[in-house]
Structures are given as C-alpha cells and as structure tokens.
Amino acid sequence: MAERGLFARLRFSRQILLLQVGVVVLLLVVGLALVAALLRSTLTDDYGQRALAIARSVAADPDVVVNVEAKRAGGALQSRALAVRARTDTSFVVITDDQGIRLAHPDPAQIGQPVSTDYRVPIGGGEVASAVEKGTLGLSVRSKTYVKTPDGRVVGEVSVGFETDDPTAEFQHLLLIAGGFGGLALLLGVGASALLTRRLRRQTHGLEPHELTELLYEREAVLHGIGEGVVAVDARNRITVCNSEAGRLLGIALPIGADLSELDISPRLRSALADGDEATNLLAVAGERVLVINSRPVRHDDRELGTVLTLRDRTDFETLTRELDAVRSLTDGLRAQRHEYRNRLHTLSGLLQLGHREEAVEYLQTLTDSVSSAAGPVGETVADPYLQALLVAKTEQAVEKGVALRVSDDSWVPAATTDPIALNTVVGNLLDNALHAARMGDRRPATVEIALLAQGNELHVSVVDSGGGIPAELRDTLFTEGVTTKLAPGHGLGLALARQAARARGGDLWLGDPGGENSGALFVAALPGIVDDRTDGEDLP
C-alpha cells in the first residue's frame, strides 16, 4: 500500500516513464525466456540429429553388420566405435546385439553388460532421436538406430550421444549474445520512453491529467455558459474553438477544423479573424443581425497561435437606435418649424399691435398659401403618416444643408405601410447618403430626388442625387460593412443595414447607376409586403 501510494504521488509524466520502462523490461524478460527455451530445444534437437546421423553411418558399415550378427564383442567393433568417437568428438558410441548386450563401449569394463537404457525401439526397427537420458556415462543427448543385415533382419543397435555440457555451453554462448542485444534494446527503449515522456510534458505544458480534465470542464462551462459568441481560429485560419451562441448569432454551422475560407460569413468578420489584428466594438452584419465584434490575437512565447473573436448581438439596440434617429430627425424638423413659426407669429403680433390689420391679413394669407404649397405634394402622393413625417424631417434637414429634396411627380403611395422601422431604415439611409453626396458634390444647385411607387403590397424606392457618383473602386464593395465615402470615422454600416432590412422582407437594395460626369448615383430598393393594400388614403388618420 505504501509503494502504491508513493507511485500515485508521482507526477503523471514520471508514472508514464516508469510504466513504459516496466513494460519494456517485462517484454524483454519474456522475450529472452522464449528465446532461451527455443535455443535449448533447437540445440538439443541439433545435437540429437548429429548423433543420429553418426549412428546411421556406423550401423550401415558392412563390417559392423557382420560382427554384430556374429555377436563378436570388443575387437574390431570396439576399435571402430572408438575411432568414430574420436573423429566426431562424441561422448560415446555404443554397439549392442539384439538382446541389448554391449558389444562395444568407451569403457571396456562395460562390454558384455546389458545397456542401462531402453533398447526396444531400435531393435523393433525404429529410431530414437534427441533423447536426453542418463546412462553409465552420465546425462547425455543421444540417438539410437538399428543394425540390419542385407536380408532385412535387425541384429542389434547403435547408440551415439553427446554430453549435455556440449549443447549447454553453446546455449550459454548464444544466450549471452541475445542478452547483449536485449540490454541494448532495453537502453533504447528506456531512452525512447524518456524522450516520449519529455515530449508529453512539453505538449501538456506540465499539466497533470486531473488538471487537464478540470480545464476541459471549465472551458465547456465558460464557452457555453456566457451570452456572447466565441470563435477562435489557429494560425492556419482553421476553427479550433466555437460555442453554440456563435453559431446562433452567425446563423451558420461552425464545425471544428473547418477552413475560414469555406464559411459563409461577411467580409468584415472574415477579415477580423484572418488578419489577427486587435479590434474593439466593430459593427458587422450577419444575416438579419447586427453584431458587435471584438478581436484579440493570441500569442504564447512569441508564437502566433491564432485569433479569438467575441460576438454580441446588437440587433435590438440597433433597431432602437434607428427608431431614435427617425424621431430625432422629425424632432429637429419640428424644432426648426417651431422657430420659424414663432418668428412669423411675432411678426403677425406686431402688425396687429400697430393697427396694420390689412397687412396682417395679407401676411397671414401668404403664410397659409406657403404652408399648403410645401405640404401639399407630399400629402397628395404619400398617404402613409410615417413616411410623410420622415420626408418632412429630411426636407428640413436638406434645407439646413443647402440641398433641395424633391419627391418625384410620379410618386404614389396610397396606403399605409406595415413595417415603419424597416421603411425608415431603407429610405432614411438612402436619403442621408444622398444628402451628403449632393452637399459634397460640385454641382449646384445641389438636389436629391426620391421616387416612391406602390405596386400592390410592394413598394419601389429610388433615390438619385446631384453628387459626383460612386468611385469605381468602391462599386463592388459598397454594401460591405466598413466601406464608405465619408471621411469621418464611424460610418460604413448604413447601406449594409439598409440592404439587410430589405432582404429580410424578401426584397433587395442595389446600385442602379453609379453616376459620373452627368449625374449622381442612383439607388433602387424593392420592399415586398410593406404596403397595406387593404387600406387607402381615406382610411388614414
């Protein structure tokens, strides 16, 4: 228990090293044991086959056959057996008759005595190979064969053997060589295990398994427990980390390992991830959402690991901002009108106080005619009160900027609109951009003309200005977040939001004519289902 506790207290990398060394040692021990067993068996069989070959050569000698058949002990048989023993370096060469009586033996005193081992197999016409038996000369590896006359009768046997020390010495020599190779393999295995353990420690930054498990749990809890989307890419621009909120905000699947170029995301998001530059509170459009993105490069030991992007949904906030902009525009217009009307009332009051009644009546009539002429065209062609208010407010803004805003003569919106917010986003952005372009352009007088035409429940909008048009280098990326012709920072999102609002309703917004020397830019929008064709102007308040 104490040893187990000590092992458990070791660092994981050292545990791995000890286990690997233990496995290597165990495999080597088992391997050497198998090799030793195989070597011993192979050597025993080899010596037994050598003994059998010698015994067969002796048994085939005609002189040996004649002397064994005649049972002549000693003499020629003894000389023959001793000569073969000396020439082949065997332990013994024993010749017997068919009764197992020794006719030749290394010890002359044993001649005439029965053999001490079983002789029935060779006398019966068989052979014994590689038998390890103990006889009068000690333990040996021996083989036996029969002596047969030309007419096929078995008249005796020949037994040849080697001392067991002979194969044992060779076995020990071979085992020593195998042990040397095993030791070398052990050193290589231990060295490889140490290198592997070092690499493991470097790859895990020295963290223990339980620490890695805790980090995994904490990572999952943080990624999926926060209300922001998180996306991380490595140095090769492949997604390594993402949470479900990021997929929901972007409206696409974010598989781990996917290349950034394969994802259908906006250019601003792609640039924030691919460039690896730090970005704070950058606005981007993803589907029908407006997102605030923050990008941070990740480095470790001066090594670029990738980029982490956080995403926050700003759609509702942006919608409220647009509504507030519309209200502010209308308020600015009303404030300007109030100021003008106050001046007119002061003039009228002064005329009355001075007794100029006829001049007061004439002045009042002039004011009434001017108001009717100003509001009449909008009121006659555009019946929707939200659209009317927006056009009046933008008209007042245009006057302040020195731009003439006109509603085209062929405009016709006889019914209410069903989505004032989307309408304000599209028309408001187009008018703001057109007013800016006309004011900054060289043509005078500076003008902006808007055409509004309802066709069933679909509203067609076109806005043209007298500015210098859209530069050629911006025409392909005009609706991308961050692309703008304005010099001041904080722009470049209006057209992207306007197109998003149009496409969210199944419509679209596009550049009809980039403009140039003869005219300014023309933008066209189609908004299906935004006009309530069940009503007409008479039902409106």
Side-chain angles (χ1 to χ4, degrees), residues 438-516:
R439 183 170 64 90
M440 300 300 295
D442 296 331
R443 297 186 182 90
R444 291 294 179 271
T447 61
V448 173
E449 182 175 343
I450 180 172
L452 301 160
L453 179 61
Q455 183 179 3
N457 65 358
E458 185 171 356
L459 179 63
H460 298 273
V461 182
S462 64
V463 177
V464 63
D465 59 71
S466 61
I470 304 299
E473 63 272 14
L474 297 181
R475 293 172 185 174
D476 294 334
T477 59
L478 190 60
F479 294 94
T480 302
E481 310 101 310
V483 177
T484 180
T485 59
K486 300 181 178 66
L487 299 179
H491 298 282
L493 198 62
L495 284 177
L497 289 173
R499 171 177 275 187
Q500 176 202 44
R503 289 182 173 178
R505 300 191 59 84
D508 205 352
L509 169 62
W510 64 94
L511 177 63
D513 185 353

Side-chain angles (χ1 to χ4, degrees), residues 346-400:
H346 289 168
T347 301
L348 182 61
S349 175
L351 290 173
L352 291 175
Q353 291 178 12
L354 294 174
H356 301 296
R357 298 178 61 84
E358 293 181 1
E359 288 80 355
V361 172
E362 183 180 355
Y363 182 68
L364 185 58
Q365 185 64 41
T366 302
L367 291 179
T368 303
D369 293 340
S370 64
V371 172
S372 298
S373 62
V378 175
E380 292 175 1
T381 59
V382 179
D384 180 64
Y386 299 102
L387 199 50
Q388 285 182 8
L390 177 62
L391 292 174
V392 170
K394 294 302 180 183
T395 301
E396 295 293 339
Q397 288 183 5
V399 172
E400 293 178 358

Side-chain angles (χ1 to χ4, degrees), residues 176-362:
L176 182 63
I177 295 176
F181 279 106
L184 179 62
L186 177 61
L187 292 177
L188 292 176
V190 172
S193 298
L195 291 176
L196 182 61
T197 301
R198 181 180 177 183
R199 176 176 174 81
L200 176 64
R201 185 168 60 250
R202 186 170 62 251
Q203 292 290 330
T204 59
H205 300 284
L207 296 177
E208 295 298 302
H210 68 276
E211 294 175 324
L212 293 174
T213 303
E214 292 174 359
L215 282 178
L216 176 62
Y217 290 156
E218 291 173 1
R219 169 183 175 273
E220 292 299 313
V222 171
L223 280 180
H224 301 286
I226 61 177
E228 297 182 354
V230 178
V231 181
V233 297
D234 59 15
R236 297 183 298 170
N237 288 334
R238 294 185 177 274
I239 292 182
T240 55
V241 176
C242 68
N243 61 358
S244 55
E245 183 67 9
R248 186 186 72 84
L249 292 177
L250 295 177
I252 59 174
L254 298 171
I256 301 297
D259 194 278
L260 191 61
S261 60
E262 301 172 356
L263 302 179
D264 184 17
I265 58 178
S266 68
R268 176 168 284 190
L269 281 170
R270 191 185 308 279
S271 176
L273 283 169
D275 294 346
D277 297 330
E278 184 172 336
T280 302
N281 296 333
L282 189 66
L283 294 181
V285 176
E288 299 181 3
R289 300 181 184 276
V290 179
L291 304 178
V292 179
I293 62 178
N294 289 278
S295 176
R296 296 291 184 272
V298 180
R299 298 180 178 87
H300 181 73
D301 295 335
D302 296 330
R303 177 186 175 190
E304 297 288 343
L305 299 181
T307 306
V308 175
L309 200 70
T310 58
L311 312 170
R312 285 178 292 166
D313 192 358
R314 192 181 163 178
T315 304
D316 296 337
F317 179 73
E318 191 65 27
T319 300
L320 292 175
T321 301
R322 292 295 163 183
E323 291 187 45
L324 180 60
D325 289 342
V327 173
R328 184 181 292 114
S329 298
L330 182 59
T331 303
D332 292 341
L334 293 177
R335 185 181 297 111
Q337 288 181 355
R338 185 186 65 177
H339 181 73
E340 183 64 24
Y341 290 155
R342 180 182 298 171
N343 292 335
R344 293 172 181 177
L345 289 175
H346 289 168
T347 301
L348 182 61
S349 175
L351 290 173
L352 291 175
Q353 291 178 12
L354 294 174
H356 301 296
R357 298 178 61 84
E358 293 181 1
E359 288 80 355
V361 172
E362 183 180 355

